[in-house]
Amino acid sequence: MRPKSVVKEEAIVNIALQIISEEGLENLSMQKLAQAANISPRTIYLKYENKEDLLIKLFIDEVLGAYEKAILTGFDEGMEFAEGIKKLWQNGFQYMKNNRYAFSLMQYGKTSPLLNKAYAERNIQQGQFFAPIHRFLKMQVKNGIVKSLPFEVQRALLFAPFYDLMNEYFEHLDRPKQIITDKVLRDTCEAVISGLLKQS
Amino acid sequence: MRPKSVVKEEAIVNIALQIISEEGLENLSMQKLAQAANISPRTIYLKYENKEDLLIKLFIDEVLGAYEKAILTGFDEGMEFAEGIKKLWQNGFQYMKNNRYAFSLMQYGKTSPLLNKAYAERNIQQGQFFAPIHRFLKMQVKNGIVKSLPFEVQRALLFAPFYDLMNEYFEHLDRPKQIITDKVLRDTCEAVISGLLKQS
DNA sequence: CAAAAGTAAGTAAACATTCATTTACTTATG
DNA sequence: CATAAGTAAATGAATGTTTACTTACTTTTG
């Protein structure tokens, strides 16, 4: 039996992410992808059932899965509050810097109904990625460190500014000067932390 | 001369926003829009040059323009810091609650290359919407009230959580219980404010 | 040589956009 | 004040192109 080419499988994934990042999700077509990856359209359909299947697997496996794993590396629910959040931000920044294309598709997860649905379903099925962070925050509230707010609100306060900064970071990559430096990121993280602390 | 039907013009705009919100930007086609609005495809081209023109005008005029106007109503650069930010959040929440479809297209402004480009170009041409808020924040830094951070970072800290909450608000509209209440929004706004204050 | 991997060349359906007309209304005239 | 001329609004059907996906065949391996 002829063995499958790993090179081609990786090309599909990487070039798809690149097209999405550079031209937008709406401009990724199966034909364009095949041509750019120098393969036949049919080859994509050996690995993926259809376009929807491809997009969802890219989003869930290649992007979200890898990101969630990266962000939780070295993070421990027992950490002190500020220490834990800083670790998450550091990990996130490190990962994103090296995975610009993944970041682009991740952003589509909030707008595209298809990806949004896939994301919600996955979080229901397999006890979600945010579980350790959820428990971490719950403990901080219990210990009187952090303001008692719904988890969704805490998550918004802690991470929404981070994604905004990453967006800014990538936009400034193409410009003469980068404003999102490690120091700026640390300062922003501090601001986010102090906003959630109980004693203001 | 046959008078033009305002009803039809409005139908194009409203139904386009509805389709984008419910099915996604990538699933809006000119023919589908025409059918849903009960007009001929040709009629859309009387008002708009092409699909790109339609999308950009929807985004810039119908969505961003209306939002920016709404959010700045009753806001004054001379306001006290917390007061000013609370006003912006209140205005934003009020507007968004009544314009779910507009919110959806607004979110696409961050991901869609087409809309992103249109947004950037507009902000360069006509001295941007954020100018009063920019000056407001600059003054607060000068007066030693607010942490000295790049404007982009302040904007991220102040407003990124807001959009996240609006997303959550709309998702919970279809569920039995709403978690994003006026009180939760006020509390979140307070947290955002305290994160930016110089004395923690 | 079995059998999966891979391909070139298709397919029907959907796409954005246009053409050639018709419709609905205003207005100038007998 | 009836009616025909004029005109912008609006249209249904068609344009060529691109789409996601398939068919029929070839290549490459154990």
Side-chain angles (χ1 to χ4, degrees):
Chain A
M1 177 175 85
R2 182 177 179 177
K4 65 183 169 185
S5 159
V6 183
V7 174
K8 277 171 189 162
E9 287 191 342
E10 285 174 353
I12 294 172
V13 168
N14 294 330
I15 292 175
L17 288 177
Q18 186 180 347
I19 292 175
I20 291 168
S21 181
E22 290 173 353
E23 303 177 41
L25 184 58
E26 61 273 30
N27 290 311
L28 175 76
S29 84
M30 299 302 259
Q31 296 181 124
K32 189 188 272 184
L33 172 57
Q35 199 161 30
N38 229 315
I39 55 170
S40 156
R42 184 71 180 80
T43 305
I44 303 171
Y45 288 91
L46 296 174
K47 183 112 206 273
Y48 303 98
E49 221 176 289
N50 48 41
K51 191 183 180 182
E52 190 172 317
D53 184 45
L54 165 68
L55 288 177
I56 288 175
K57 280 182 177 152
L58 277 180
F59 178 61
I60 298 286
D61 301 339
E62 303 295 329
V63 173
L64 278 187
Y67 171 68
E68 294 173 359
K69 201 185 154 201
I71 207 178
L72 289 175
T73 302
F75 171 80
D76 175 17
E77 299 174 30
M79 277 174 159
E80 192 252 329
F81 178 60
E83 187 196 1
I85 300 302
K86 281 177 193 167
K87 184 77 195 168
L88 294 173
W89 273 56
Q90 264 170 24
N91 284 347
F93 192 41
Q94 201 58 39
Y95 177 80
M96 291 300 196
K97 275 204 284 193
N98 298 315
N99 295 273
R100 179 179 196 169
Y101 296 155
F103 176 71
S104 294
L105 180 53
M106 219 164 120
Q107 294 297 89
Y108 277 103
K110 285 168 197 158
T111 50
S112 153
L114 172 68
L115 300 182
N116 208 300
K117 198 180 145 223
Y119 176 61
E121 276 170 9
R122 194 195 69 143
N123 266 9
I124 290 164
Q125 276 178 24
Q126 60 189 80
Q128 68 231 28
F129 138 70
F130 270 117
I133 300 175
H134 196 155
R135 285 193 298 269
F136 168 71
L137 287 169
K138 216 167 178 175
M139 179 66 79
Q140 301 298 330
V141 171
K142 199 180 164 190
N143 293 348
I145 309 284
V146 160
K147 285 174 184 161
S148 177
L149 290 166
F151 174 63
E152 290 85 351
V153 172
Q154 294 176 329
R155 199 186 53 196
L157 283 166
L158 284 173
F159 301 115
F162 172 75
Y163 297 113
D164 225 68
L165 255 53
M166 287 313 311
N167 223 341
E168 213 67 47
Y169 173 81
F170 287 124
E171 277 179 17
H172 280 82
L173 265 190
D174 317 320
R175 297 184 203 172
K177 204 182 161 203
Q178 180 57 261
I179 63 162
I180 311 301
T181 60
D182 283 275
K183 174 165 172 23
V184 165
L185 207 95
R186 278 200 305 275
D187 290 348
T188 314
C189 186
E190 294 276 8
V192 154
I193 289 167
S194 77
L196 264 171
L197 289 178
K198 209 163 182 181
Q199 82 287 8
S200 77
Chain B
M1 176 175 85
R2 183 175 178 175
K4 68 179 168 188
S5 159
V6 183
V7 175
K8 277 171 189 163
E9 286 191 346
E10 285 173 354
I12 294 173
V13 168
N14 294 330
I15 292 174
L17 288 176
Q18 187 179 347
I19 291 175
I20 291 168
S21 182
E22 290 172 354
E23 303 177 43
L25 184 58
E26 61 273 28
N27 290 311
L28 175 76
S29 85
M30 298 302 259
Q31 298 184 111
K32 188 191 273 186
L33 171 57
Q35 198 161 32
N38 228 315
I39 54 169
S40 159
R42 188 67 185 80
T43 306
I44 302 172
Y45 288 89
L46 297 175
K47 182 115 206 278
Y48 303 97
E49 219 176 293
N50 49 39
K51 191 180 181 184
E52 191 171 317
D53 184 45
L54 165 67
L55 288 177
I56 288 175
K57 281 184 177 152
L58 277 180
F59 178 61
I60 298 285
D61 301 339
E62 303 295 329
V63 173
L64 278 189
Y67 170 68
E68 294 173 358
K69 199 184 154 200
I71 208 181
L72 289 176
T73 303
F75 171 80
D76 174 17
E77 299 173 29
M79 276 173 159
E80 192 253 327
F81 178 59
E83 186 195 2
I85 300 302
K86 280 177 193 169
K87 185 75 194 167
L88 294 173
W89 274 56
Q90 264 170 26
N91 284 347
F93 191 41
Q94 201 58 40
Y95 177 81
M96 292 300 196
K97 275 204 284 194
N98 298 314
N99 294 276
R100 179 179 197 169
Y101 297 154
F103 176 71
S104 295
L105 181 52
M106 220 165 118
Q107 294 298 88
Y108 276 103
K110 285 168 197 158
T111 49
S112 155
L114 172 67
L115 299 183
N116 208 299
K117 198 180 145 223
Y119 176 62
E121 275 171 9
R122 194 196 67 144
N123 266 8
I124 291 165
Q125 274 177 25
Q126 61 188 80
Q128 70 229 35
F129 138 71
F130 271 117
I133 300 175
H134 197 155
R135 286 192 299 267
F136 169 71
L137 287 169
K138 214 165 181 177
M139 179 66 79
Q140 301 298 329
V141 170
K142 198 180 166 190
N143 292 347
I145 309 285
V146 159
K147 286 173 183 163
S148 177
L149 289 165
F151 174 63
E152 291 85 350
V153 172
Q154 294 175 330
R155 199 186 55 196
L157 283 166
L158 283 173
F159 301 114
F162 172 75
Y163 297 111
D164 225 66
L165 255 53
M166 287 314 310
N167 222 343
E168 213 67 46
Y169 173 82
F170 288 123
E171 277 179 16
H172 279 82
L173 265 190
D174 317 320
R175 298 185 201 171
K177 206 181 157 203
Q178 179 57 263
I179 62 162
I180 310 300
T181 60
D182 283 275
K183 178 171 169 17
V184 165
L185 207 94
R186 278 198 306 274
D187 290 349
T188 313
C189 186
E190 293 277 6
V192 155
I193 289 166
S194 77
L196 264 171
L197 288 178
K198 208 162 180 181
Q199 83 286 9
S200 78

